[in-house]
Amino acid sequence: MENYHYPGTDIQTSRLALGCMRMAGKSVAEAQAVIEAALAVGINYFDHADIYGRGQSEERFAQAFKQTNCDREQIYLQSKVGIRPKEGMFDFSKDYILKSVDGILRRLETDYLDALLLHRPDSLMEPEEVAEAFQTLKDSGKVRYFGVSNQSVGQMKLLQAATEIPLVFNQLQFGPAHTLMLDAGFNFNMPNDLGSNRTADILEYCRLHQITIQTWSPFQVDLEQGLFMKHPDYQELTKEIQEKADQYQVSFEGMVMAWILRHPAKMQPIVGTMTPERIRHSAEGLNVDLSRKDWYEIYRAGGRPLP
């Protein structure tokens, strides 16, 4: 897999990342097989969050990674903080961020994170307090780069105004069945539902400021409706993707990745599967030169006619 240089960083890593949310449910041996499958196809960027498995996903990753022949310096580790599920709230306070990072480093058995993301927005965020936390973590060497997840243009601008440390990532859901970042642009100035701008031009903002969009759950409709392949409203989309996969001689998963990677925003898809075969299949998308016509046919197959 050809490495990609992520703007605003010295990170040169795989275009795909492995999401480790479900690793808590695996044995050490199973987790090792997942990590090694990723490494075998060139994926060396691993995405975590402190709430995944209530921290057990990070612990299992560390246990399994020690069984591989790979060194810490050969991979990139990212985690996220800010969600407090027990209390039913978000928390971007300085003390909570710093405490959370210490817990992450302990569970991952590492001295530093390559990237730390704020996990969803906190409406009670004090930007200056977050800026202090970022600076403390950067100065201590505990975190190299910073970003956010699921945040709007205004939320990012508010935070960025308080700190000189650049935000280099935003993690957003995107895939063939979840195209809100595209729909409003296609339907600008049109009196239809697709013209409703629910993403506040976040795609264009990230491109203008060289912020890498990391796409999560590319196979899901949304958090409640599950995989689009099993959803009755997306059978035409599923059929179209399979036909394109057969045409380009790749797997279904590979074609979904190819569709995301074809966009000039240079997104980094997060592959969330814990099945080694599906990891290998996803990596096939890196070798697909998807035509403009085929990209648009997949988009329209999701039930989104162009105006």
Side-chain angles (χ1 to χ4, degrees):
M1 185 184 299
E2 182 179 352
N3 283 347
Y4 173 71
H5 173 251
Y6 288 88
T9 76
D10 64 357
I11 293 176
Q12 294 198 35
T13 183
S14 51
R15 286 294 304 276
L16 303 183
L18 183 72
C20 299
M21 181 175 70
R22 299 177 179 86
M23 193 163 281
K26 300 296 179 182
S27 67
V28 173
E30 289 171 332
Q32 179 184 349
V34 170
I35 295 170
E36 290 179 339
L39 294 171
V41 295
I43 297 174
N44 60 352
Y45 199 106
F46 299 91
D47 174 69
H48 295 270
D50 58 357
I51 65 165
Y52 293 166
R54 297 186 181 275
Q56 293 181 22
S57 290
E58 292 170 331
E59 291 176 348
R60 188 55 43 82
F61 179 90
Q63 294 163 354
F65 184 73
K66 288 188 294 186
Q67 305 303 314
T68 71
N69 293 321
C70 189
D71 296 328
R72 168 66 179 92
E73 291 71 26
Q74 295 176 273
I75 65 170
Y76 296 90
L77 291 177
Q78 168 179 288
S79 195
K80 301 182 288 292
V81 299
I83 298 179
R84 301 184 68 164
K86 283 186 178 181
E87 295 86 350
M89 67 181 194
F90 303 115
D91 190 346
F92 290 177
S93 63
K94 178 182 177 180
D95 289 345
Y96 189 74
I97 292 173
L98 296 179
K99 179 181 177 182
S100 297
V101 169
D102 285 341
I104 290 168
L105 296 178
R106 182 179 66 253
R107 290 189 295 272
L108 286 175
E109 299 183 33
T110 184
D111 296 328
Y112 67 97
L113 291 174
D114 294 285
L116 176 73
L117 275 56
L118 297 179
H119 210 169
R120 295 193 172 273
D122 175 13
S123 191
L124 299 183
M125 175 186 74
E126 298 284 356
E128 294 78 13
E129 194 173 347
V130 175
E132 290 179 9
F134 281 5
Q135 195 65 56
T136 298
L137 292 168
K138 186 174 182 63
D139 291 345
S140 67
K142 292 181 179 179
V143 178
R144 299 177 63 214
Y145 299 106
F146 298 85
V148 296
S149 74
N150 307 289
Q151 293 203 16
S152 70
V153 170
Q155 290 162 342
M156 295 187 75
K157 284 182 175 180
L158 180 63
L159 178 55
Q160 192 65 84
T163 177
E164 294 181 356
I165 296 175
L167 300 174
V168 297
F169 296 107
N170 192 0
Q171 208 170 96
L172 300 159
Q173 186 178 8
F174 181 72
H178 192 99
T179 58
L180 295 178
M181 287 193 288
L182 306 177
D183 299 341
F186 281 129
N187 293 273
F188 175 72
N189 202 35
M190 299 295 294
N192 56 44
D193 289 341
L194 289 176
S196 300
N197 194 340
R198 295 179 174 87
T199 59
D201 300 326
I202 189 64
L203 176 61
E204 291 77 13
Y205 177 82
C206 288
R207 291 184 69 182
L208 282 168
H209 294 273
Q210 294 191 307
I211 296 166
T212 298
I213 293 175
Q214 297 177 326
T215 66
W216 57 268
S217 293
F219 296 95
Q220 289 192 348
V221 179
D222 54 38
L223 291 175
E224 296 182 356
Q225 298 187 72
L227 298 173
F228 72 80
M229 301 88 79
K230 299 181 179 180
H231 197 290
D233 294 344
Y234 293 94
Q235 292 311 295
E236 182 180 345
L237 174 63
T238 301
K239 178 183 177 182
E240 185 68 36
I241 292 175
Q242 187 59 63
E243 289 178 355
K244 292 291 188 291
D246 294 341
Q247 175 186 335
Y248 284 85
Q249 297 184 322
V250 295
S251 64
F252 185 92
E253 294 92 341
M255 182 51 59
V256 172
M257 294 299 113
W259 187 82
I260 295 172
L261 293 168
R262 176 63 177 84
H263 196 279
K266 296 182 173 60
M267 304 176 193
Q268 183 184 37
I270 297 175
V271 180
T273 182
M274 291 288 102
T275 304
E277 183 180 25
R278 290 195 66 202
I279 293 172
R280 291 190 286 269
H281 285 172
S282 295
E284 293 175 3
L286 291 152
N287 300 317
V288 174
D289 185 14
L290 190 65
S291 73
R292 180 182 294 263
K293 179 176 180 292
D294 289 339
W295 187 92
Y296 271 96
E297 287 179 350
I298 289 174
Y299 174 80
R300 296 200 312 274
R304 297 169 295 267
L306 296 176

